[in-house]
Amino acid sequence: MALSESELIKRFFRNCGAQRRDVALGVGDDAAVVECPPGMQLVATTDTLVAGVHFPLSVPAAAVGHRALAVNLSDLAAMGARPAWALLALTLPEAGEQWLTEFAAGLGALARAHDVALVGGDTTRGPLTVTVQLLGHVPRGRALTRTDGRPGDALFVSGSPGDAGAGLAIEQGRLTAPADAAPYLRERFLLPTPRVALGERLRDYARACIDVSDGLLGDAGKLASASGVGLEISFADLPVSRPLIAALGPDAARELALTAGDDYELLFAVDPARLAELERELPQARWNYRQIGVLREAPGAVVTRDGTVMEFSHSGYQHFL
Amino acid sequence: MALSESELIKRFFRNCGAQRRDVALGVGDDAAVVECPPGMQLVATTDTLVAGVHFPLSVPAAAVGHRALAVNLSDLAAMGARPAWALLALTLPEAGEQWLTEFAAGLGALARAHDVALVGGDTTRGPLTVTVQLLGHVPRGRALTRTDGRPGDALFVSGSPGDAGAGLAIEQGRLTAPADAAPYLRERFLLPTPRVALGERLRDYARACIDVSDGLLGDAGKLASASGVGLEISFADLPVSRPLIAALGPDAARELALTAGDDYELLFAVDPARLAELERELPQARWNYRQIGVLREAPGAVVTRDGTVMEFSHSGYQHFL
């Protein structure tokens, strides 16, 4: 069926996200108009998913919609920002109704869960590529950046990194996992959970924060480098899930946790003087994060195990290497 | 040469656009942080250019960079908004240094001309696709929309539509134009001029406004339809350039002006009681626009010539038809 661009937008995306009172003009004009709340700074990010590059072509449309927004929510989480408005640039080979229905359902459900309104976008014909631009806000001067970590800061990560990397390998047929582990791992790749609520709360505790999307070790290195420090990660302290251990064994699970991409967890540095307060206000067991190392004076990123330094050749996913 | 994503961004895009004091945090963290001025609403748009769909693969990289921003500037112009910050999502097959240098030069020159800072983005590998998200602002409640045109309003268009359509045909080898016309027409396709200054000034005079990007007749129909009215365009009043007439003759030139895409001009409706004031404050000869018709009660879009109604089968570019 041939759909015009305006019919397509009206049908699938006009009421896709949350309804927000600060949207003066949403989908349907030349641009969207929204109200930025007083006292707040605007936070903006964009991320693209290319079919066959960022996800296999087998990924269901609802998961593509979810992921396209989730990866951007994760960027705002890392800034301690509250998401508010999204724009969608969708390039697709044809206007398949079923695919669009499921894609919009996946995107819309996550948008509504985070009170994000879809206020505009563009649909074009071409190879399947999804770019979401996400806007949010943060109290003036309070954005969490990568640059303010200091030597001695405790380094934490949320969730259980590596799961999504194993899920991708399962989705691609490169890994076979036990029947009780595979569905969990696959879902962790398909439907990542951006840590928006944690990110907002970390504004009060973290000195520096980064989104773990290209591999924990590489992203930790980026935070350290931006802060002008180094870091040390304790291999034994890496939080890995039971299903990941079931699939790979404990050592390979932790190696994957260090190097695989697609986690969309938060890595953050906290002043050691504030650790007791952090645990009181944001208990680790409830908020699902864990200390994995420290920032240090000496530059570079090292992983230690039983007192010796481990070597890692692949320190994160690089799009152009 | 293999460039990592962060090296690529640092090298080509960190200082690509204007420097603005309201950018608290630009390229290089998980998201950008900017200050929305008090009393203003935020205006946001996004447009994607896909190689081989929106432009032939022969188009020079600098023109791709220029166009990618220009089409978004044109959307903000149609809202009467002032552009401020852009994000770039660039998908490209390989990190070719020469291509990137020229692309960034084309994008950066237009950004600086309009005082737009490039505050963030994402680079990914895949088929060449450029998505720009452009943010700007407008005094609260003053955005120009498509919905407030009324019967009797005078209908104007800026520039000389059809030029870019002929330029595209020349670029694709479908049209041969005289040697003194071809370079002008080709440049009108490659380097469109978004009417940002006109759009901002039209806030005080126009009742409704739309960006002409998919064909004048079709876009005029969208404005009329959104306003709940119809429209009548006088064929003889369509402004066409001398080079377009030289290439096609006067009739085919005006037909192309009605139906070709890629103009990035403004179409706007003005209360007839305000025409004298409009001409005094924004003289047509200086601001380069012209009345081409009127809005009317009867729905639909008609083009008249010598008192008779012309038929048009192709009323604008539809991405999914």
Side-chain angles (χ1 to χ4, degrees), chain A residues 3 5 35 48 122 319-320, chain B residues 3 5 41 48 122 319-320:
Chain A
L3 273 176
E5 184 181 6
E35 295 275 352
T48 296
D122 187 27
H319 303 297
F320 285 99
Chain B
L3 273 176
E5 185 180 7
Q41 287 174 313
T48 296
D122 186 27
H319 302 298
F320 285 99

Side-chain angles (χ1 to χ4, degrees), chain B residues 45-156:
Chain B
T45 190
T46 187
D47 262 318
T48 296
L49 299 183
V50 182
V53 176
H54 299 91
F55 60 89
L57 295 165
S58 62
V59 166
V64 176
H66 176 101
R67 279 179 67 80
L69 181 59
V71 301
N72 284 281
L73 286 166
S74 186
D75 280 326
L76 285 209
M79 305 300 290
R82 175 168 295 184
W85 315 289
L87 294 101
L88 168 69
L90 178 61
T91 302
L92 69 173
E94 55 184 20
E97 277 190 77
Q98 169 121 23
W99 194 93
L100 280 164
T101 302
E102 292 171 13
F103 173 86
L107 178 69
L110 188 63
R112 291 188 298 275
H114 289 280
D115 198 23
V116 169
L118 184 65
V119 295
D122 186 27
T123 58
T124 50
R125 197 203 295 255
L128 181 57
T129 307
V130 190
T131 298
V132 167
Q133 177 198 30
L134 186 63
L135 303 169
H137 38 72
V138 69
R140 180 163 294 121
R142 299 293 315 283
L144 271 175
T145 68
R146 303 176 178 179
T147 58
D148 293 335
R150 294 188 206 162
D153 280 358
L155 199 59
F156 293 88

Side-chain angles (χ1 to χ4, degrees), chain A residues 173-217:
Chain A
R174 292 186 287 111
L175 175 68
T176 310
D180 57 347
Y184 164 86
L185 295 171
R186 186 166 171 266
E187 185 174 312
R188 293 280 289 144
F189 171 71
L190 292 178
L191 303 172
T193 306
R195 305 293 179 185
V196 176
L198 177 62
E200 268 208 87
R201 279 158 186 82
L202 285 176
R203 281 204 312 265
D204 295 331
Y205 304 99
R207 269 211 275 244
C209 186
I210 190 171
D211 159 45
V212 179
S213 55
D214 292 341
L216 173 54
L217 188 53

Side-chain angles (χ1 to χ4, degrees), chain B residues 220-242:
Chain B
K222 286 179 204 163
L223 180 146
S225 168
S227 292
V229 300
L231 69 91
E232 184 173 330
I233 288 174
S234 161
F235 190 74
D237 290 333
L238 287 165
V240 284
S241 72
R242 216 178 280 265

Side-chain angles (χ1 to χ4, degrees), chain A residues 7-309:
Chain A
E7 284 168 336
L8 187 159
I9 289 168
K10 198 178 294 181
R11 179 139 163 217
F12 296 101
F13 297 112
R14 197 181 278 273
N15 296 305
C16 174
Q19 305 296 313
R20 291 178 62 98
R21 296 182 59 181
D22 56 13
V23 177
L25 189 65
V27 171
D29 215 295
D30 288 288
V33 181
V34 301
E35 295 275 352
C36 194
M40 307 294 267
Q41 287 174 314
L42 186 73
V43 185
T45 190
T46 187
D47 262 318
T48 296
L49 300 183
V50 182
V53 176
H54 298 91
F55 60 89
L57 295 165
S58 62
V59 166
V64 176
H66 176 102
R67 279 180 66 80
L69 182 59
V71 301
N72 283 281
L73 285 166
S74 186
D75 280 327
L76 285 209
M79 305 300 292
R82 174 168 297 183
W85 315 289
L87 293 100
L88 168 69
L90 177 62
T91 301
L92 70 173
E94 55 184 19
E97 277 190 77
Q98 170 122 22
W99 193 92
L100 280 164
T101 303
E102 292 170 14
F103 173 86
L107 178 69
L110 188 63
R112 291 188 298 276
H114 289 280
D115 198 23
V116 169
L118 184 64
V119 296
D122 187 27
T123 57
T124 50
R125 197 203 296 255
L128 180 57
T129 307
V130 190
T131 299
V132 167
Q133 294 90 3
L134 186 62
L135 303 169
H137 38 72
V138 70
R140 180 163 294 119
R142 299 291 314 284
L144 271 175
T145 68
R146 301 177 179 179
T147 57
D148 293 334
R150 294 189 206 163
D153 281 359
L155 199 60
F156 293 88
V157 73
S158 66
S160 46
D163 288 348
L168 171 60
I170 291 168
E171 185 69 24
Q172 291 175 324
R174 292 186 287 111
L175 175 68
T176 310
D180 57 347
Y184 164 86
L185 295 171
R186 186 166 171 266
E187 185 174 312
R188 293 280 289 144
F189 171 71
L190 292 178
L191 303 172
T193 306
R195 305 293 179 185
V196 176
L198 177 62
E200 268 208 87
R201 279 158 186 82
L202 285 176
R203 281 204 312 265
D204 295 331
Y205 304 99
R207 269 211 275 244
C209 186
I210 190 171
D211 159 45
V212 179
S213 55
D214 292 341
L216 173 54
L217 188 53
D219 288 330
K222 286 179 203 163
L223 180 146
S225 168
S227 292
V229 301
L231 69 91
E232 185 173 331
I233 288 174
S234 161
F235 190 75
D237 290 333
L238 288 165
V240 283
S241 72
R242 216 179 281 265
L244 190 63
I245 293 173
L248 296 176
D251 281 8
R254 289 189 170 82
E255 282 168 27
L256 197 69
L258 280 171
T259 56
D262 296 311
D263 292 313
Y264 304 106
E265 297 293 349
L266 297 182
L267 181 95
F268 52 99
V270 177
D271 179 350
R274 304 203 55 202
L275 292 182
E277 190 186 355
L278 174 69
E279 178 58 28
R280 193 169 62 238
E281 298 299 323
L282 298 174
Q284 296 190 28
R286 177 170 162 219
W287 286 90
N288 191 21
Y289 64 93
R290 177 160 163 180
Q291 185 172 355
I292 58 168
V294 291
L295 298 183
R296 57 177 206 173
E297 294 265 5
V302 300
V303 181
T304 57
R305 184 177 189 180
D306 303 328
T308 64
V309 172

